[in-house]
Amino acid sequence: MANMKDIARIAGVSLGTVSHVLNDSAGVREPLRQRVLQAVQAAGYQPSQLARALRRDKTNMIGMIIPDITNPFFPAVVRGAEDVAFSNGYRLILCNTDNDHSKELVHLNELRTYLPAGLIVIPSNFSDLTAQAESYRRAGTGVVCIDRLPKNWSGDSVTADNEAGAYHAIRSLIQMGHTKLAAISGPLHLTNAKDRFAGFKRALREAKLHLAPEYAQETTFDKQGGYLKTNILLRLIPRPTAIFAGNDLIALGALLAIRDAGLRCPEDVSIMGFDDLDLADTTNPSLSSVSQSGYQLGTSAARILLDRLEGDKSPAKHLILETSLKLRNSTGAPPNDVRSSPAVNLTSSTKPNRKRAVR
Ligand code: RIB
């Protein structure tokens, strides 16, 4: 395989000139630069990334850590980061944590040995990256957290506007006439789940609708959790007429539970999701959902990292990306027999009002 000495010989220049051209590190007159580049092409020379890394104490690799590679939300996030990284000469090393903080720490420790130029991290459950990120920062490696933030995070971050997105979605359900709204949140120790639930509660508070404790369920961000918690909600009296799911996978489980209970969506129960995954168009009924751009999460994070690599020393950036509401067929007016009834304040009685017939 050709090396730099071969390039120098073919181009008829010094080894130093070849090095300057390959590293773009000093002004080389254009004719000489062209001779070196032509020699590189003719010899099929591939600079050794390992040698370059050892010289620079940095590779052109960006580590990306995601919590659940089986969640269809994350491929778009990775794709966004990879598109920006690749077009700027960087490559991605993708690591999956299965939402397990101990696995996350294994990845963080091992990635260090690859001398990454930067890290993009979607934290796992109960993640605390403060110490890790600080040691990376001291090594000159930028760390950006996206989607949900670890405890005490003070570094660069990019998230969706989870609270506002949920708030506007719940207001649209209330405007349809719903007064008995339940929520199946993701794990509330995660900031994205917590903020979505906060938006749900703000919309109810503003509409002076009480939230019975039973109407607030919490689960994992997956279909199984949505199915199980929806079955609990469907057995309550009075039954909620609308369920806000913390993400589209929870919403998918809710749709299945409603079907298996012999009920109809939205005629008996409306379902609202969050993410607006491609599946939202294909479910039956199609899923109303809060749309957030995973792709933009990824591109924004990679761009922040590249700015840091270019020497951006400005204070930590906290980008909050707008969401939009996609109303489809899984939401509609509440059932007729409920529409006229006032919101039942379950919190004022230990037992739900059993007088009301439940269809
Ligand atoms: O990781 C679970 C959820 O977090 C995803 O579905 C998406 O909503 C992200 O914000």
Side-chain angles (χ1 to χ4, degrees):
M1 187 166 115
N3 59 33
M4 284 175 63
K5 282 183 182 162
D6 298 322
I7 302 304
R9 177 176 47 75
I10 296 168
V13 299
S14 70
L15 201 54
T17 300
V18 173
S19 174
H20 284 315
V21 171
L22 293 180
N23 292 298
D24 202 15
S25 56
V28 176
R29 281 184 295 111
E30 193 53 27
L32 279 187
R33 204 175 80 82
Q34 285 306 323
R35 271 168 45 193
V36 171
L37 294 178
Q38 284 157 15
V40 164
Q41 194 164 17
Y45 172 71
Q46 285 281 345
S48 158
Q49 291 298 345
L50 188 57
R52 175 179 288 194
L54 293 173
R55 267 199 312 279
R56 294 180 169 184
D57 198 23
K58 198 69 76 210
T59 62
N60 68 333
M61 307 304 281
I62 289 177
M64 186 161 186
I65 300 178
I66 65 174
D68 177 2
I69 201 156
T70 64
N71 181 326
F73 173 75
F74 292 115
V77 184
V78 176
R79 178 64 193 273
E82 209 273 338
D83 280 354
V84 171
F86 188 86
S87 58
N88 286 278
Y90 290 89
R91 302 296 177 261
L92 236 50
I93 302 177
L94 184 60
C95 305
N96 175 55
T97 63
D98 294 327
N99 264 310
D100 177 341
H101 184 41
S102 56
K103 192 173 176 187
E104 181 179 60
L105 290 176
V106 168
H107 284 312
L108 282 165
N109 288 324
E110 288 185 1
L111 275 173
R112 200 189 309 278
T113 63
Y114 289 84
L115 304 174
L119 290 189
I120 298 173
V121 183
I122 302 180
S124 66
N125 282 339
F126 304 106
S127 180
D128 182 346
L129 302 180
T130 316
Q132 294 284 343
E134 198 39 50
S135 72
Y136 270 104
R137 259 199 292 269
R138 280 198 302 273
T141 303
V143 181
V144 185
C145 277
I146 64 176
D147 182 42
R148 67 287 281 272
L149 305 182
K151 254 188 326 197
N152 315 316
W153 181 251
S154 60
D156 291 325
S157 67
V158 186
T159 63
D161 194 345
N162 291 294
E163 197 275 352
Y167 168 77
H168 290 296
I170 303 314
R171 277 185 57 86
S172 77
L173 288 169
I174 293 168
Q175 283 155 5
M176 291 178 200
H178 290 281
T179 57
K180 294 185 192 59
L181 299 100
I184 305 176
S185 298
L188 290 173
H189 63 266
L190 293 176
T191 54
N192 55 352
K194 183 166 61 75
D195 291 346
R196 293 171 197 171
F197 188 45
F200 169 83
K201 289 188 289 186
R202 177 161 67 102
L204 261 64
R205 208 170 38 247
E206 281 187 7
K208 298 184 176 26
L209 293 174
H210 290 283
L211 174 61
E214 301 84 354
Y215 274 25
Q217 298 288 332
E218 177 184 357
T219 184
T220 42
F221 270 127
D222 56 35
K223 184 175 69 173
Q224 297 76 4
Y227 189 91
L228 293 171
K229 296 300 183 181
T230 301
N231 278 327
I232 293 171
L233 291 172
L234 296 180
R235 286 198 289 270
L236 295 179
I237 298 173
R239 184 172 62 217
T241 61
I243 298 174
F244 171 54
N247 78 340
D248 282 357
L249 297 182
I250 293 173
L252 194 55
L255 289 173
L256 295 173
I258 288 168
R259 179 202 64 185
D260 291 353
L263 295 169
R264 300 161 303 163
C265 176
E267 295 78 358
D268 298 313
V269 187
S270 287
I271 298 294
M272 175 71 76
F274 199 112
D275 286 341
D276 192 27
L277 297 176
D278 289 345
L279 65 83
D281 271 326
T282 60
T283 53
N284 179 22
S286 56
L287 181 64
S288 296
S289 186
V290 178
S291 186
Q292 66 162 323
S293 170
Y295 185 82
Q296 198 183 355
L297 275 177
T299 57
S300 304
R303 286 199 181 98
I304 288 175
L305 267 190
L306 294 178
D307 289 346
R308 294 298 182 199
L309 286 165
E310 296 295 317
D312 175 0
K313 299 277 187 256
S314 61
K317 296 178 170 66
H318 307 292
L319 261 60
I320 299 178
L321 305 178
E322 282 193 8
T323 63
S324 60
L325 180 56
K326 297 286 190 297
L327 290 178
R328 297 189 178 92
N329 298 331
S330 66
T331 49
N336 283 324
D337 64 335
V338 172
R339 225 169 287 175
S340 56
S341 65
V344 175
N345 176 356
L346 290 174
T347 48
S348 64
S349 66
T350 50
K351 292 237 179 303
N353 172 357
R354 296 201 181 284
K355 297 191 188 68
R356 190 173 309 286
V358 177
R359 287 186 311 141

